Amino acid sequence: MKGTDFLEKLKDEMHNAVVGKDDVIEMLAIALLAEGHVILEGIPGVAKTTIAKSFAQAIGLKFSRIQLTPDLLPADIIGTVYYNQKTGEFKIKKGPIFGNVVLADEINRAQPKTQSALLEAMQEGQVTIEGRTLRLPRPFLVIATKNPLEFEGVYTLPEAQLDRFMIRVKVGYPDRGEELEMLLRKDRGKFVEVRQVFTAKQVQALIFEVRKVGTSEPVLEYLYEIISRTRSDDRLLIGASPRAGEHLLYASKARAFLQGRTYVIPDDIKAVAVNVLAHRLIVRAEYELEGLKPETVVREILDSVEVPV
């Protein structure tokens, strides 16, 4: 299956439950095929959960949802060991992390100890329960949601955890046409359940094809220059990590595949750079007070780096 066909079919099916949001859907597809994770950031009521659930249904993967709260424990996510009285044996009860697409709803409501339970799963594709290591199913995608406006009853995500998210997508208000369309479809009952249009086997095959997408040396140097500029920018306290460069490469390869190409071009890097890099950068306090955003810094760097011919 071609990448363009996959993306078009995915959007068409998801539009049965979601109005617009094509940019969000594309970023989810990029993260899935690049084997990364996504954090959706936006105020309540902008369809973050609906998008994640519909995405899992359309691609035919096992979906599980974790509603994170301050009293949630790591064992509630990864699972625990219990004693089976009938068999007289200790058994492992797997937690909701054992899914293909895992929605970590309101991730910043969980205490740091619980948030850290996601780290091994996201980075290594495995969890450890009572000293026993268990592999998670493949493909494995964590979609976390976060409300950026609340400051009470929430915990700041550790930088190490933010760095493990390949992509951050800000989900905002729909435009006038989209919101009117949503209200009309709600009024007429025209929203329908998203059907499965792909299989896990097809998704795995697409992931394998993305790995074969090539990147020329000049394009790799262009990518590195972008990463390097974030580290030398005086306005930033912390620049992009080597993992950020790796994620930028993988996301660019997935984007190239979805555009129907077998090679990465600078436009692929530009298309994903803000979503991949901005949430990893820390603006110095004096510039933050002036209203400078990491997204602005990334865009200015993209404008200043010479594009290879």
Side-chain angles (χ1 to χ4, degrees):
M1 182 189 302
K2 293 181 179 179
T4 50
D5 295 337
F6 169 77
L7 184 58
E8 195 63 34
K9 195 172 182 180
L10 176 64
K11 288 180 179 178
D12 286 345
E13 188 57 37
M14 287 189 64
H15 285 162
N16 287 320
V18 179
V19 176
K21 308 299 184 188
D22 284 1
D23 55 336
V24 182
I25 295 171
E26 183 174 0
M27 285 298 163
L28 287 173
I30 287 172
L32 174 69
L33 299 184
E35 298 185 279
H37 305 288
V38 181
I39 184 164
L40 300 180
E41 191 173 292
I43 63 170
V46 291
K48 299 187 299 294
T49 302
T50 300
I51 291 169
K53 186 177 179 180
S54 300
F55 181 77
Q57 289 173 328
I59 58 181
L61 299 178
K62 181 183 177 183
F63 175 77
S64 62
R65 176 178 176 177
I66 307 171
Q67 187 64 50
L68 292 158
T69 56
D71 60 346
L72 204 69
L73 298 174
D76 296 323
I77 294 177
I78 65 175
T80 187
V81 173
Y82 71 98
Y83 181 72
N84 189 321
Q85 292 183 337
K86 290 184 178 179
T87 62
E89 297 176 333
F90 286 96
K91 298 284 187 179
I92 290 180
K93 181 181 180 181
K94 294 180 178 180
I97 197 68
F98 286 88
N100 296 111
V101 179
V102 178
L103 173 61
D105 218 354
E106 296 187 289
I107 190 172
N108 53 330
R109 285 197 177 276
Q111 56 180 307
K113 185 177 180 180
T114 304
Q115 290 178 10
S116 67
L118 292 169
L119 292 180
E120 182 186 11
M122 292 170 60
Q123 184 65 23
E124 306 295 338
Q126 65 185 31
V127 297
T128 303
I129 303 175
E130 297 293 331
R132 182 177 173 184
T133 300
L134 302 175
R135 297 295 301 176
L136 294 169
R138 300 283 299 275
F140 176 66
L141 170 67
V142 172
I143 303 175
T145 68
K146 180 186 174 202
N147 177 1
L149 300 181
E150 292 187 334
F151 298 99
E152 293 187 9
V154 297
Y155 299 86
T156 303
L157 268 68
E159 296 303 324
Q161 187 166 341
L162 274 176
D163 198 49
R164 281 168 170 79
F165 285 99
M166 176 178 283
I167 289 172
R168 181 184 67 175
V169 183
K170 291 190 175 183
V171 184
Y173 291 114
D175 61 30
R176 183 179 186 277
E178 289 174 346
E179 191 154 7
L180 284 174
E181 173 68 15
M182 182 271 291
L183 292 171
L184 178 65
R185 290 171 66 177
K186 286 286 186 181
D187 180 62
R188 309 288 167 82
K190 290 186 177 181
F191 280 108
V192 296
E193 193 78 7
V194 171
R195 299 176 298 110
Q196 177 182 337
V197 290
F198 305 105
T199 65
K201 188 175 180 180
Q202 286 177 313
V203 173
Q204 284 282 28
L206 292 173
I207 291 173
F208 182 74
E209 290 299 316
V210 168
R211 292 175 186 166
K212 296 191 291 185
V213 172
T215 311
S216 67
E217 190 169 328
V219 173
L220 284 175
E221 290 176 354
Y222 172 70
L223 187 151
Y224 170 75
E225 186 61 27
I226 293 170
I227 297 296
S228 179
R229 294 275 182 103
T230 68
R231 299 168 186 168
S232 59
D233 196 306
D234 292 336
R235 298 171 297 176
L236 297 178
L237 185 64
I238 295 179
S241 67
R243 183 190 287 127
E246 181 183 344
H247 282 179
L248 183 55
L249 173 62
Y250 294 157
S252 300
K253 287 160 74 79
R255 200 262 181 181
F257 177 76
L258 292 175
Q259 294 293 313
R261 281 180 274 100
T262 58
Y263 53 90
V264 175
I265 62 174
D267 282 350
D268 296 318
I269 297 172
K270 287 184 175 182
V272 299
V274 174
N275 296 96
V276 173
L277 299 179
H279 63 285
R280 308 167 193 266
L281 309 179
I282 298 180
V283 177
R284 291 186 181 275
E286 57 269 31
Y287 292 101
E288 188 176 17
L289 289 172
E290 294 175 1
L292 182 66
K293 302 293 184 183
E295 292 85 354
T296 302
V297 176
V298 175
R299 292 190 181 99
E300 289 179 0
I301 289 174
L302 291 174
D303 289 338
S304 64
V305 176
E306 185 178 354
V307 178
V309 178

